[in-house]
Amino acid sequence: MKKLGKKNNWAAYLYILPLMLLSFAVVYYCIIRTFMTSFTDWNGMSPEMNFVGMKNYIKLFKDATFWKSVTNNVIFFFGTVFVQAAVGFFLAVLLKKKLPGSNLFKAVYFMPIAMATSIITAIFRIIMDPTNGALNQFLHAIHLDMFAVSWLGDKRYALLSVIIVNIFQWMGFSMITYYASLMSLPDDVYEAAKIDGAGFWRTLTSVTFPMVKGTTNVLIILGIVGSLKTFDIVKLLTNGGPGRSSTVMNVYLYEKAFKDFKAGEAAAIGVSILIIAMIMSFLQVKFGKED
Amino acid sequence: MKNFKKIVAVMAAAMMTVGCLAGCGSDAPSGETAETPAQEAGDEAQTEAPAESEAGGDEVTLTFWSWLPTTDQSEEMIAAFEEANPGIKIDYTRTEQDDYFEKLQVAMASGTGPDLFGLTTGPMKEQYAPFAEEMRALADANWSGWSDIISENAVEQCSTEDGSVVGMPLLVAGMTDLLYNKTLMDECGIESVPRTYEELKDAAEKAKAKGYVCVAVGAADDWINSDIFVQLSNEFEEGAVYEADRGERSWTDQCFVDTMTAWQQMFNDGIFEEGALGVATYPDARDQYFFARKSVFFLTGSWHLGPTSPTNSEIEGTEIANNNDVIGMCVFPSVVDDGKICGTAGVDVMMAVNRDCKEKEAAMKFVEYMANGEGQQYWVNKLQGAPVSKEISYTGTVDGELQQQSIDEVNSYVSNAVGNRKLSNSEVETAIQIAMQNVAAGADPAAELQGVQDVQDAQ
């Protein structure tokens, strides 16, 4: 194949120019503006905006609520990403077996992704109501009273409830991604494993899982970014409470921007989220490659 | 062929690039100075009304955003206004309160705010003051004698620290009240509405024995936590909360510790539903508990007097309506030993006129209609709140003795309120809301109040 000569490079650049301009206008410009705003005392509305140096960052790093929200984000990340990936992987493996009704189950598991978060959270608020909710009534009915807790109103369970709802909503995405990946795996590898005497679990752990490592890496990176972006599900389910028990960084950012009229501090939180996302994605890519 | 492909590719790329740039460009004709996006957007909003005026002769269209009036109320109120003022049309956009605050903030920042907008007192009025026309001057110019008609106290609450009036008050509402289901009270053997904390505890035991929740409260909501704190703290020491808000005393003072301890005690004594910290006032506590006949009482404010009427549209189709339950409203019982009740009340909603509004005279006609005209009368008759106009009082029909009693009790509570429902310091108010939730979950009141004080000290 003939290599593209240096003098023909400009044509390649022209191909990507529209996208670059669009990206700059809607993404990078906003990031730069947010970065600049984080050094100001802007209230989110006023044309007045004064430079305050590192004040917002210093205040943020001394703020216990910010660190609590970071901790909650980390818990949320570990609680969702790996469980979602694991559940999605097993579902994909089962669905690949072409069992009766597998297409129906594929649709059922995928359906929550197509539903608006506001609808899912509204339903779960009713289901998880400690007195009238279906979940606790079901637990009482099967004599598991000890598990019938105040899902959203108890500081010990609020974040767990958010994680459960998030897994319900997104496990279908992991499932469909793994399923697409599994469908592209060659059959002869499985035949060879079978000849070598590998059973279901051995094949799963030594053949299937290593061969979809790329998909797992992609899901983890998307999970890192997704968990750092988490806002709607928390805001609508618990509003970050009780107290600060389920406050994540974006909920705190929102509170600073829209409730306290401290857009400068909110921007500093936004920049912190971006930096954390970049570091975690970089580490995942680096260690993913080394594996 | 190779060259042809290259030419097509270059042309396609160039066209897309031009397309993108065109989208970002200004509409200003050549030779005119391009304006910033915010200015441009603002001007579009400003010129919208005159453009519609041209199309419809002398007709003026005013955009109005708020969370109140409700959709049902607005249809009747605006139709009556437009009929009385043929040249003015009101384009009303109603949004739920929390969403409304975000929507308004973004619109104001980008210069695309409405001509008229609803505001609350507290921190909000200070932030929006630069965007609102000074109401005192505007009213002096367009509405003679207004200051004799509108409650001075209500106007005061709509004023900033420097004394400028941000908006015209429209309704006054008080905290804290209890909607009660008299039918369920009878069923549980609760003979009368509780007036003391001991009576409330007794009611809770009786309700529980019959399988009902005593008081449904939406303690997941931020606003209800701070409203309750402000109201209860006044019972322990009148006015102390406002002094602390101004930084004149410490949040760790004994009266505040007592307030939070009393709040915690209510949870410990089973006054509220299980998991109340995860329940929102609207719709959860109202619909899933009180309207669903699962609770005997519902903690709310004076704006919720409407359901005391059996014909109220809010309760249509609910369990309490299906069972023909009798509903009343009373004030929340005193939590102090001497039984003193100190209510708090405040302007629930005020209406501001955007500085960019081109039709201020027309806007003031609508403001007057809502604050003193048929609009105010309609609202007051809907029991949405107490009037701000001295010339308006409730003239609606009264469905029986209980409703009359409820209206009298709640209105007396509002008019004798000892202070405002809201604090002026947003970050401190948020800290109190979090502390109230933590205390309800079992945290130490004194330690939580130290956290509130730390927030104030860090400012």
Side-chain angles (χ1 to χ4, degrees):
Chain A
M1 190 185 281
K2 191 185 166 189
K3 276 192 176 177
L4 200 63
K6 260 189 184 176
K7 64 178 180 182
N8 288 329
N9 277 353
W10 62 272
Y13 286 121
L14 270 178
Y15 276 116
I16 60 166
L17 184 63
L19 194 64
M20 289 292 288
L21 285 171
L22 205 62
S23 300
F24 186 82
V26 300
V27 180
Y28 298 106
Y29 171 73
C30 298
I31 291 173
I32 293 164
R33 280 302 297 255
T34 304
F35 187 72
M36 287 161 65
T37 306
S38 71
F39 296 104
T40 70
D41 63 354
W42 191 42
N43 71 358
M45 292 191 298
S46 166
E48 200 180 313
M49 193 188 270
N50 303 306
F51 180 74
V52 294
M54 294 296 288
K55 193 180 164 192
N56 291 334
Y57 288 96
I58 293 167
K59 191 177 174 189
L60 197 64
F61 294 139
K62 286 181 182 171
D63 184 354
T65 306
F66 172 70
W67 290 111
K68 173 72 180 166
S69 69
V70 173
T71 310
N72 283 343
N73 262 107
V74 172
I75 296 169
F76 183 85
F77 165 70
F78 283 105
T80 55
V81 175
F82 296 107
V83 178
Q84 261 165 229
V87 173
F89 177 69
F90 281 108
L91 286 174
V93 170
L94 290 175
L95 290 170
K96 200 194 166 203
K97 296 274 175 203
K98 297 282 176 205
L99 300 169
S102 61
N103 279 340
L104 176 71
F105 283 111
K106 223 183 296 172
V108 167
Y109 293 132
F110 193 72
M111 204 187 298
I113 296 172
M115 288 167 72
T117 306
S118 54
I119 295 171
I120 290 176
T121 50
I123 293 168
F124 271 93
R125 281 191 70 83
I126 296 169
I127 291 173
M128 289 178 157
D129 184 283
T131 311
N132 306 317
L135 180 56
N136 278 4
Q137 285 182 5
F138 171 74
L139 290 168
H140 286 305
I142 58 170
H143 304 291
L144 289 175
D145 301 72
M146 71 191 113
F147 295 113
V149 295
S150 174
W151 296 98
L152 304 173
D154 191 317
K155 293 174 88 168
R156 291 169 296 175
Y157 308 115
L159 188 58
L160 174 70
S161 304
V162 173
I163 289 170
I164 290 169
V165 177
N166 194 78
I167 290 170
F168 168 82
Q169 187 178 12
W170 289 104
M171 71 178 180
F173 178 75
S174 306
M175 178 209 73
I176 216 78
T177 311
Y178 273 123
Y179 185 77
S181 182
L182 291 177
M183 296 306 281
S184 65
L185 298 183
D187 287 339
D188 50 358
V189 180
Y190 287 98
E191 282 165 21
K194 202 173 176 182
I195 292 164
D196 289 343
F200 174 78
W201 288 108
R202 184 74 176 165
T203 309
L204 192 71
T205 53
S206 302
V207 179
T208 310
F209 191 68
M211 286 174 78
V212 293
K213 197 181 74 179
T215 306
T216 306
N217 279 338
V218 168
L219 284 174
I220 290 173
I221 291 173
L222 290 176
I224 292 168
V225 177
S227 63
L228 286 168
K229 274 168 56 185
T230 294
F231 171 72
D232 49 2
I233 203 162
V234 182
K235 178 75 186 157
L236 295 170
L237 213 53
T238 63
N239 195 23
R244 293 291 189 194
S245 61
S246 61
T247 300
V248 290
M249 283 188 281
N250 275 322
V251 170
Y252 194 43
L253 181 156
Y254 170 90
E255 188 182 300
K256 283 282 172 200
F258 290 100
K259 206 171 157 195
D260 295 344
F261 298 99
K262 306 257 181 192
E265 289 178 29
I269 299 173
V271 171
S272 306
I273 294 171
L274 180 72
I275 292 168
I276 295 168
M278 284 168 69
I279 293 170
M280 288 180 75
S281 300
F282 172 77
L283 291 175
Q284 173 58 28
V285 170
K286 188 173 167 14
F287 291 114
K289 271 183 188 167
E290 280 176 7
D291 285 345
Chain B
M1 191 61 188
K2 221 187 272 176
N3 280 341
F4 176 73
K5 274 185 182 171
K6 201 184 282 180
I7 290 165
V8 170
V10 169
M11 282 180 70
M15 282 170 71
M16 285 174 72
T17 308
V18 170
C20 290
L21 291 173
C24 302
S26 166
D27 289 338
S30 60
E32 285 183 24
T33 312
E35 294 177 316
T36 64
Q39 285 171 322
E40 197 181 330
D43 288 349
E44 272 174 27
Q46 289 165 28
T47 52
E48 199 175 311
E52 288 186 31
S53 302
E54 281 166 25
D58 291 334
E59 195 171 83
V60 171
T61 299
L62 297 169
T63 49
F64 170 38
W65 293 2
S66 188
W67 70 99
L68 278 177
T70 62
T71 307
D72 285 355
Q73 293 167 357
S74 70
E75 284 168 8
E76 290 186 51
M77 291 167 99
I78 290 170
F81 173 78
E82 288 176 348
E83 199 181 331
N85 298 273
I88 308 172
K89 278 194 79 67
I90 303 294
D91 180 8
Y92 178 51
T93 304
R94 198 242 168 195
T95 315
E96 283 296 334
Q97 197 169 8
D98 283 350
D99 301 331
Y100 168 73
F101 294 154
E102 295 156 32
K103 183 184 163 109
L104 186 67
Q105 188 174 339
V106 174
M108 285 301 188
S110 60
T112 56
D115 296 312
L116 293 149
F117 51 97
L119 290 178
T120 61
T121 57
M124 198 181 187
K125 71 177 178 205
E126 300 285 342
Q127 299 297 335
Y128 283 91
F131 297 91
E133 195 68 35
E134 208 284 320
M135 184 53 77
R136 192 185 300 276
L138 199 58
D140 284 344
N142 293 281
W143 177 5
S144 63
W146 74 277
S147 55
D148 297 329
I149 298 166
I150 304 298
S151 152
E152 296 85 5
N153 184 33
V155 174
E156 178 65 32
Q157 286 184 29
C158 299
S159 307
T160 57
E161 280 177 11
D162 64 9
S164 67
V165 182
V166 183
M168 183 64 72
L170 297 183
L171 280 178
V172 175
M175 271 298 265
T176 310
D177 301 287
L178 287 176
L179 262 180
Y180 60 87
N181 186 325
K182 183 74 175 67
T183 312
L184 287 187
M185 278 174 64
D186 294 343
E187 190 183 323
C188 297
I190 304 166
E191 287 161 13
S192 60
V193 291
R195 297 295 178 191
T196 63
Y197 187 68
E198 285 307 312
E199 287 176 14
L200 185 62
K201 254 172 78 177
D202 181 56
E205 279 166 22
K206 287 175 175 167
K208 199 176 175 185
K210 287 280 180 182
Y212 294 108
V213 164
C214 182
V215 180
V217 64
D221 288 328
D222 297 335
W223 64 269
I224 207 159
N225 281 284
S226 48
D227 269 31
I228 290 172
F229 179 84
V230 172
Q231 193 263 309
L232 293 184
S233 72
N234 272 300
E235 291 184 0
F236 287 99
E237 190 177 332
E238 200 177 308
V241 71
Y242 309 112
E243 290 171 17
D245 189 33
R246 292 192 296 268
E248 293 166 6
R249 66 187 294 169
S250 172
W251 287 107
T252 55
D253 284 0
Q254 192 57 42
C255 59
F256 303 124
V257 177
D258 292 341
T259 303
M260 289 230 172
T261 307
W263 174 242
Q264 191 174 53
Q265 196 59 41
M266 288 185 221
F267 284 82
N268 293 343
D269 289 338
I271 304 293
F272 304 128
E273 76 275 20
E274 194 192 336
L277 292 176
V279 177
T281 309
Y282 309 111
D284 304 350
R286 179 192 59 189
D287 295 357
Q288 289 178 47
Y289 286 86
F290 190 71
F291 285 176
R293 245 179 156 255
K294 298 276 170 64
S295 73
V296 183
F297 302 93
F298 169 49
L299 195 150
T300 181
S302 67
W303 58 87
H304 225 133
L305 260 169
T308 58
S309 167
T311 54
N312 182 265
S313 60
E314 194 181 352
I315 59 171
E316 264 176 41
T318 63
E319 280 299 300
I320 57 171
N322 295 342
N323 285 278
N324 296 318
D325 288 353
V326 178
I327 308 299
M329 190 180 243
C330 62
V331 302
F332 194 80
S334 171
V335 293
V336 290
D337 294 337
D338 63 6
K340 183 173 75 169
I341 287 179
C342 289
T344 50
V347 172
D348 201 24
V349 57
M350 68 170 111
M351 189 187 280
V353 176
N354 194 329
R355 281 200 174 166
D356 293 339
C357 173
K358 296 271 186 189
E359 303 288 348
K360 293 192 174 73
E361 199 182 326
M364 282 309 291
K365 281 188 180 168
F366 188 59
V367 169
E368 185 180 346
Y369 170 83
M370 295 293 277
N372 186 45
E374 279 178 51
Q376 173 87 166
Q377 184 67 66
Y378 174 90
W379 235 348
V380 170
N381 283 356
K382 283 280 175 187
L383 298 169
Q384 183 67 53
V388 291
S389 166
K390 294 169 189 167
E391 296 177 348
I392 302 282
S393 59
Y394 182 75
T395 57
T397 52
V398 177
D399 294 307
E401 199 182 318
L402 188 68
Q403 196 193 15
Q404 183 63 63
Q405 191 184 312
S406 301
I407 293 168
D408 292 345
E409 182 173 335
V410 171
N411 282 346
S412 160
Y413 183 69
V414 171
S415 53
N416 292 312
V418 298
N420 200 339
R421 280 171 57 200
K422 301 288 177 194
L423 299 176
S424 60
N425 189 325
S426 172
E427 279 183 294
V428 167
E429 196 173 66
T430 303
I432 288 170
Q433 291 159 356
I434 299 299
M436 285 283 274
Q437 289 195 334
N438 286 339
V439 165
D444 174 37
E448 290 299 321
L449 283 162
Q450 184 58 54
V452 176
Q453 186 59 43
D454 291 345
V455 170
Q456 180 129 31
D457 292 343
Q459 289 181 336

